[in-house]
Amino acid sequence: MCRNIRTLFNFDPPATEEEVRAAALQYVRKVTGFTAPSKANEEAFHRAVEEIAFASQRLLDALVTQAEPKNREVEAERARARSAKRFGTAER
């Protein structure tokens, strides 16, 4: 799937409306292949983003877990370490 779509569940503080919408936008872009839709497809594109954002927020609100909430800074550092290892930019 798309690497730009980030995990939004079980963070403290919870994912914001903007983060959920950004993930929905990335999903619609990936599925359609459009970065920006043409005028003819604009309404359908934006409607899909809103519907997916709504469904995603409902899902996030309904999920439960016993796990401790994740820390955004720790997760970001882990992602940077994975990226450095993957792309060979780790300091030696």
Side-chain angles (χ1 to χ4, degrees):
M1 197 59 205
C2 186
R3 281 191 266 274
N4 293 333
I5 300 175
R6 305 287 180 227
T7 300
L8 300 176
F9 178 60
N10 197 28
F11 279 98
D12 187 26
T16 64
E17 184 177 318
E18 292 80 27
E19 289 173 310
V20 173
R21 190 176 187 298
L25 176 60
Q26 288 298 323
Y27 176 78
V28 172
R29 285 177 172 171
K30 184 69 170 184
V31 169
T32 62
F34 302 152
T35 300
S38 66
K39 289 290 182 189
N41 294 318
E42 193 171 34
E43 183 181 336
F45 184 92
H46 292 298
R47 184 176 56 245
V49 170
E50 294 307 316
E51 289 174 359
I52 292 167
F54 179 75
S56 297
Q57 189 63 63
R58 263 193 6 225
L59 172 63
L60 291 171
D61 292 344
L63 294 174
V64 295
T65 184
Q66 298 297 321
E68 289 292 317
K70 298 175 213 165
N71 180 295
R72 291 180 189 280
E73 289 78 27
V74 170
E75 294 301 316
E77 182 56 40
R78 287 180 184 161
R80 282 190 289 277
R82 283 191 306 269
S83 178
K85 183 177 178 184
R86 179 176 181 193
F87 297 110
T89 58
E91 294 181 26
R92 294 172 194 214

